[in-house]
Amino acid sequence: MNIIVCVKQVPDTNEVKINQETGTLIRDGVPSIINPDDKNALEAALQLRDENGGKVTVISMGPPQAKEALREAYAMGADEVYLVSDRAFGGSDTWATATIISAAIEKIGGYDLIFCGRQAIDGDTAQVGPEIAEFLNIPQVTYAKKIEQKGDKFIITRATEGMDYIIETPKPTLITAIQELNNPRYPTVKGIFSAYENEIVKVLTLPDLPVDTTQIGLKGSPTNVFNSFVPTKEKHSEIIQGKDTKEKVESLLNKLKAVNMI
Ligand SMILES: Cc1cc2nc3c(=O)[nH]c(=O)nc-3n(C[C@H](O)[C@H](O)[C@H](O)COP(=O)(O)OP(=O)(O)OC[C@H]3O[C@@H](n4cnc5c(N)ncnc54)[C@H](O)[C@@H]3O)c2cc1C
């Protein structure tokens, strides 16, 4: 079974601080990690490969430092890793990101399943997985918390608020993983050595991909970020005045009634 896993390198949000003047993330010196849901996606792919044979291919779109995430994926057991990287891809929104990743998947070809994480902890939109499925015109099952194989099909338990759905889907399908799906394995020592011994990361740039350049990068992105800011938290307090407790309580009740709180 040939499985493609999309992995995003993200800043470790436990370490990220906000520049209060510009409202932007301070990324300098912040460690980067594999997006947590993507590790669950990778673990699910590795388990299916271990049971059925085949190959797990990991793709990450990002700047050259995203190679680190790919080396970690390789050390966990991925068979092949691809970095999709070009200056022309910078500034891409989710639509443009999914356009580029879909083109890379088409270029690699021959897949039975595609895995994504549910959501990236920095962009937080949960749009890229479903958009890739739409661009590739294949079925998608999001929020997967359990995957079983039944012949050529998959039975997927999809978690939603309040109830689970059991969905049968054929190959190829795109699945987005949530953390309940599994416990991702650790990279092995042998895997870490292999990941750094040779240049294992294959790089795909713009000329390698069948993409319409009007659909990618900042110019090809249908959404624009006009401003980003840290919401200010305001607290107001008022001391209730009155000659005695009864009058203070009545005053408080009247204030609460006036704002429809009671
Ligand atoms: C106008 C605009 C400009 C932007 N410019 C930039 C910019 O210059 N630089 C920048 O870093 N970001 C930029 N972004 C953010 C960028 O578009 C998103 O980070 C990206 O599209 C992924 O969206 P997300 O983080 O919400 O991922 P989600 O949709 O939450 O991710 C879901 C899953 O999709 C997969 N996935 C998502 N992104 C990738 C990836 N890159 N590689 C592999 N798999 C992936 C993963 O499996 C992930 O778990 C911009 C956004 C907008 C709207």
Side-chain angles (χ1 to χ4, degrees), residues 59-67 70 82-90 100 104 201-209:
I59 298 181
S60 188
M61 175 183 138
Q65 60 263 31
K67 278 187 179 181
L70 290 166
Y82 284 88
L83 175 69
V84 181
S85 191
D86 197 293
R87 279 193 177 276
F89 303 159
I100 296 160
V201 181
K202 295 173 185 161
V203 181
L204 294 175
T205 59
L206 181 60
D208 299 314
L209 300 180

Side-chain angles (χ1 to χ4, degrees), residues 52-144:
N52 298 280
K55 193 165 80 171
V56 172
T57 304
V58 174
I59 298 181
S60 188
M61 175 183 138
Q65 60 263 31
K67 278 187 179 181
E68 272 311 296
L70 290 166
R71 288 200 184 96
E72 187 179 344
Y74 189 84
M76 283 172 71
D79 300 286
E80 270 192 300
V81 294
Y82 284 88
L83 175 69
V84 181
S85 191
D86 197 293
R87 279 193 177 276
F89 303 159
S92 292
D93 69 357
T94 63
W95 171 276
T97 300
T99 300
I100 296 160
I101 294 175
S102 308
I105 291 173
E106 274 177 342
K107 169 93 182 174
I108 294 164
Y111 53 85
D112 299 301
L113 280 179
I114 300 171
F115 274 101
C116 285
R118 171 197 50 178
Q119 191 164 343
I121 57 171
D122 56 350
D124 254 345
T125 66
Q127 291 174 2
V128 171
E131 284 171 343
I132 293 172
E134 287 299 314
F135 286 139
L136 295 174
N137 200 20
I138 60 171
Q140 57 177 283
V141 183
T142 52
Y143 298 80

Side-chain angles (χ1 to χ4, degrees), residues 142-157:
T142 52
Y143 298 80
K145 70 173 209 187
K146 189 174 169 195
I147 301 169
E148 289 166 286
Q149 262 184 277
K150 191 175 147 197
D152 254 9
K153 298 196 169 158
F154 296 93
I155 312 293
I156 299 171
T157 307

